[in-house]
Amino acid sequence: MCGIVGYIGKKQASDILIEGLSKLEYRGYDSAGVAIIDNDSINVMKCKGRLANLEQKLKEAPLKGSLGIGHTRWATHGEPSDVNSHPHSNEKGTISVVHNGIIENYIHLREWLTSKGYNFKSETDTEVIPHLIDYFYNGDLLDAVMKAAAKMEGSYAIGVISSNEPDKIVAVRKDSPMIVGLGKDEYFIASDIPAVLNHTRDVYLLNDKEFVVLTRDGVKLFTEDKEQIEREVYHVTWNADAAEKGGYEDFMLKEIHEQPKAIKDTMTSRVMMGKPITLDDIKITKQQIENINKIYIVACGTAYHAGVVGKYVIERLARIPVEVDIASEFRYRNPIIDEKTLMIVISQSGETADTLAALREAKSHEARVIAVTNVIGSSVSREADDVLYTWAGPEIAVASTKAYETQLIAMYIIALFFAQNKGTLSEAELEELKKEMLKLPEKAQKCLNHKEVIQRFASKNYMHKDIFFLGRGLDYAVAMEGSLKLKEISYIHSEAYAGGELKHGPIALIEKGTVVIALATQDDLFEKMVSNVKEVTTRGARVLGLAFEGKESIEKTVDSAIYLPRTNPLFAPVLSVIPLQLFSYYVAVQKGCDVDKPRNLAKSVTVE
Ligand code: M6R
């Protein structure tokens, strides 16, 4: 949560900071601010609300200078307000700081600093940082930042500037992401790569507790013991367009349409006919796979829903027991883990605090961890034993779509890989499943063609207060994801229920006109699902059914239906989620919601 940027070079910092922040707004949009050095003094401009407010203020009163830091906030400590906005400064206004993360011991630090005569203006945890740096400052900004960081507990990526050393940015990260952009005679810090991509594709990926000093002569990296570090330059291969809307109204709609390609890219060189599943970054051996007695899949939100599908397919294909856990629950329930346990963490960003904590918990008990993530160099990718990258490309919309699709593909790949190693499937069965999988991009494309039907259904139903999703087996897993998508971008209350569970309580919520979306793609459960649909239509519900082509008999039970191209029911989630994503999207648009930046949410939850 929160995005930070920093620039040092020859151009006007203000423009570059605003442009960088616009690429990071998905991380939070409660307030925005910049601090820029001009004539050896720091000028700060910040305000509550979207970046556009700050842009307007800067138009009215431009800030000059070629060095500065910027911030876009997702409020944790202190309400969204001008005074709580970043950058925060010391009382003399000689030090300014932008921060992403949480300083967990800020109350203690605040009391200590107050006892030393420091006064605080905001309610934020961040404000202790400039005061701490001020306290330790003795003519060397790097040294003061290092001493301050040694006192700080929690997570942070911070950028610091000082008018006492007006040609320098000092930055450090711990448990919050930060990269350094290496341009020609200009250097950047940022929470994420898209913020610098219009200026450079060469970046340093920072590790925890690494300090960076950016001057006009270049960038130096240091350990916490002030030893200089050599770092390989990481060259970004995807282009800046990947993080642009490319003619679509919103990032979400663009990302929904990118799914066929994302599915294909994630399978490329891994799933091939006539060849075993090959996973370059997974070093786990056949013997280690045979030794696994339990798998935990741990994740949050949409990634958790991909994990639920993962449980079904790994158990079905590789016959290994799987438990799926919400990361924030897993870490506090003292789970039974040993060296025969395998953990699979799924995280688009690779930075989700709870998922990372669960990974660390598993590793501390000697379990092996496979990370499924979309971000190269992210924390989970660095800390896991094995990594399976999803090739979704940058996902900017807060509501996850293409990342989910590629996480599903990763689950199928892992399940097939384990089945191949354990011999739970014959050659012929493996080949048949791969053949079907390779057809998914084309079939996903066909699902996008239902756009108009879904748009019409959305325009008839966008004013409802509650919408329910029903499914059994894998359809239930997808129902959960459909329901989350709807509530997060349209603010309509929505729940997903397992079809068989209806009669145990939820059916009491059904009344005349209640909208239900029923998924019925699982052949072995089709009749049972039809019975569940009848139970709700009898009580007045209006039902949209989702079934495979050839299952038109569902029309006898539902009010309208959408048909998906037939595939092996095991792969149905890849197709059935698409109409649900489109439904949420069109409902949110009809309601006039900001689809890419839903209220109260941030793309990557790097705090507990
Ligand atoms: O980056 P991660 O995959 O770890 O993020 C997990 C969740 O925060 C994320 O999926 C969230 O639920 C999305 N807003 C869903 O659209």
Side-chain angles (χ1 to χ4, degrees), residues 383-424:
E383 295 193 28
D385 300 287
D386 304 295
V387 188
L388 183 61
Y389 283 110
T390 51
W391 294 113
E395 189 180 66
I396 309 293
V398 167
S400 182
T401 53
K402 62 176 179 171
Y404 172 76
E405 282 284 28
T406 57
Q407 287 161 356
L408 293 183
I409 297 299
M411 291 299 103
Y412 295 119
I413 290 176
I414 289 175
L416 290 175
F417 180 68
F418 286 173
Q420 173 184 291
N421 277 279
K422 285 192 71 195
T424 47

Side-chain angles (χ1 to χ4, degrees), residues 101-164:
I102 289 185
I103 305 302
E104 285 166 2
N105 59 338
Y106 83 101
I107 294 177
H108 164 75
L109 291 174
R110 197 171 164 128
E111 282 167 3
W112 182 72
L113 286 161
T114 306
S115 76
K116 302 273 176 214
Y118 286 90
N119 294 305
F120 286 79
K121 289 186 194 147
S122 76
E123 303 156 282
T124 64
D125 54 328
T126 301
E127 201 184 350
V128 298
I129 306 175
H131 292 317
L132 263 183
I133 297 172
D134 179 278
Y135 177 82
F136 288 116
Y137 189 72
N138 200 4
D140 181 346
L141 187 60
L142 173 63
D143 192 65
V145 174
M146 282 181 158
K147 286 183 174 139
K151 294 267 175 219
M152 286 153 34
E153 288 166 17
S155 59
Y156 47 84
I158 59 173
V160 186
I161 57 172
S162 169
S163 52
N164 295 320

Side-chain angles (χ1 to χ4, degrees), residues 361 574 583:
E361 172 77 11
V574 176
F583 174 68

Side-chain angles (χ1 to χ4, degrees), residues 1 20 66 106 145 197 199 240 284 379 428 452 455 463 484 505 523:
M1 357 268 298
S66 55
Y106 83 101
V145 174
L197 220 49
H199 307 280
I284 190 168
S379 298
E452 273 86 46
Q455 198 168 4
M463 71 305 271
L484 174 65
D523 290 338

Side-chain angles (χ1 to χ4, degrees), residues 365-509:
H365 288 86
E366 313 289 315
R368 194 175 179 99
V369 179
I370 298 180
V372 173
T373 181
N374 197 35
V375 179
I376 292 177
S378 57
S379 298
V380 303
S381 74
R382 279 198 296 244
E383 295 193 28
D385 300 287
D386 304 295
V387 188
L388 183 61
Y389 283 110
T390 51
W391 294 113
E395 189 180 66
I396 309 293
V398 167
S400 182
T401 53
K402 62 176 179 171
Y404 172 76
E405 282 284 28
T406 57
Q407 287 161 356
L408 293 183
I409 297 299
M411 291 299 103
Y412 295 119
I413 290 176
I414 289 175
L416 290 175
F417 180 68
F418 286 173
Q420 173 184 291
N421 277 279
K422 285 192 71 195
T424 47
L425 292 177
S426 68
E427 274 294 306
E429 285 167 326
L430 275 166
E431 287 300 299
E432 189 51 41
L433 286 166
K434 283 193 282 177
K435 189 168 146 205
E436 204 44 51
M437 236 179 126
L438 290 165
K439 289 182 194 156
L440 288 172
E442 193 190 318
K443 292 183 180 176
Q445 188 62 50
K446 284 193 180 144
C447 292
L448 290 167
N449 299 342
H450 293 302
K451 226 163 30 186
E452 273 86 46
V453 186
I454 296 163
Q455 198 168 4
R456 270 200 303 279
F457 186 77
S459 66
K460 281 188 201 144
N461 292 296
Y462 72 95
M463 71 305 271
H464 283 271
K465 269 182 66 202
D466 311 283
I467 294 185
F468 298 98
F469 292 77
L470 286 185
R472 283 171 170 261
L474 283 166
D475 283 338
Y476 173 49
V478 180
M480 288 196 270
E481 175 56 10
S483 169
L484 174 65
K485 248 2 24 121
L486 185 68
K487 63 183 96 144
E488 68 181 334
I489 60 168
S490 75
Y491 320 139
I492 292 177
H493 168 247
S494 134
E495 301 288 343
Y497 293 113
E501 191 60 15
L502 262 188
K503 294 184 277 295
H504 300 281
I507 202 160
L509 295 167

Side-chain angles (χ1 to χ4, degrees), residues 286-321:
K286 185 174 165 49
Q287 198 194 343
Q288 283 166 326
I289 293 172
E290 277 161 359
N291 267 338
I292 299 169
N293 61 10
K294 182 198 228 159
I295 296 177
Y296 284 114
I297 302 183
V298 183
C300 301
T302 286
Y304 165 77
H305 295 153
V308 178
V309 172
K311 171 185 166 69
Y312 277 93
V313 296
I314 294 172
E315 288 190 341
R316 183 106 46 109
L317 301 180
R319 308 306 296 159
I320 308 172

Side-chain angles (χ1 to χ4, degrees), residues 75-333:
T76 55
H77 294 59
E79 58 166 7
S81 67
D82 289 353
V83 73
N84 288 333
S85 309
H86 298 218
H88 289 282
S89 305
N90 62 340
E91 283 174 277
K92 290 170 275 181
T94 54
I95 295 167
S96 284
V97 173
V98 286
H99 167 220
N100 168 32
I102 289 185
I103 305 302
E104 285 166 2
N105 59 338
Y106 83 101
I107 294 177
H108 164 75
L109 291 174
R110 197 171 164 128
E111 282 167 3
W112 182 72
L113 286 161
T114 306
S115 76
K116 302 273 176 214
Y118 286 90
N119 294 305
F120 286 79
K121 289 186 194 147
S122 76
E123 303 156 282
T124 64
D125 54 328
T126 301
E127 201 184 350
V128 298
I129 306 175
H131 292 317
L132 263 183
I133 297 172
D134 179 278
Y135 177 82
F136 288 116
Y137 189 72
N138 200 4
D140 181 346
L141 187 60
L142 173 63
D143 192 65
V145 174
M146 282 181 158
K147 286 183 174 139
K151 294 267 175 219
M152 286 153 34
E153 288 166 17
S155 59
Y156 47 84
I158 59 173
V160 186
I161 57 172
S162 169
S163 52
N164 295 320
E165 296 177 45
D167 295 306
K168 191 180 278 181
I169 299 175
V170 176
V172 57
R173 67 154 279 180
K174 180 187 162 272
D175 292 337
S176 286
M178 180 150 66
I179 58 107
V180 179
L182 308 164
K184 189 168 174 334
D185 299 327
E186 55 182 5
Y187 305 98
F188 310 79
I189 53 165
S191 300
D192 198 0
I193 291 171
V196 303
L197 220 49
N198 279 338
H199 307 280
T200 180
R201 281 151 178 275
D202 290 337
V203 299
Y204 286 145
L205 304 173
L206 293 187
N207 291 321
D208 273 354
K209 297 198 178 167
E210 287 182 346
F211 292 78
V212 201
V213 179
L214 297 88
T215 63
R216 290 193 169 77
D217 297 328
V219 174
K220 285 186 180 158
L221 270 61
F222 298 92
T223 64
E224 54 189 329
D225 302 318
K226 253 195 184 166
E227 274 169 32
Q228 209 174 320
I229 309 167
E230 290 304 316
R231 178 60 37 83
E232 224 174 278
V233 175
Y234 172 69
H235 186 73
V236 181
T237 48
W238 42 272
N239 61 36
D241 296 351
E244 299 293 341
K245 284 187 198 159
Y248 285 92
E249 288 290 296
D250 320 86
F251 278 111
M252 184 178 174
L253 191 60
K254 176 187 176 233
E255 287 162 6
I256 289 173
H257 281 83
E258 284 172 343
Q259 293 183 117
K261 179 175 184 312
I263 296 169
K264 188 166 178 238
D265 290 350
T266 302
M267 288 193 293
T268 301
S269 81
R270 294 165 172 166
V271 183
M272 290 176 284
M273 294 306 291
K275 292 192 180 155
I277 301 273
T278 324
L279 304 177
D280 289 344
D281 293 325
I282 296 198
K283 308 281 175 245
I284 190 168
T285 62
K286 185 174 165 49
Q287 198 194 343
Q288 283 166 326
I289 293 172
E290 277 161 359
N291 267 338
I292 299 169
N293 61 10
K294 182 198 228 159
I295 296 177
Y296 284 114
I297 302 183
V298 183
C300 301
T302 286
Y304 165 77
H305 295 153
V308 178
V309 172
K311 171 185 166 69
Y312 277 93
V313 296
I314 294 172
E315 288 190 341
R316 183 106 46 109
L317 301 180
R319 308 306 296 159
I320 308 172
V322 182
E323 270 190 52
V324 201
D325 264 275
I326 294 168
S328 54
E329 292 294 317
F330 179 85
R331 57 186 295 198
Y332 295 115
R333 73 169 172 83

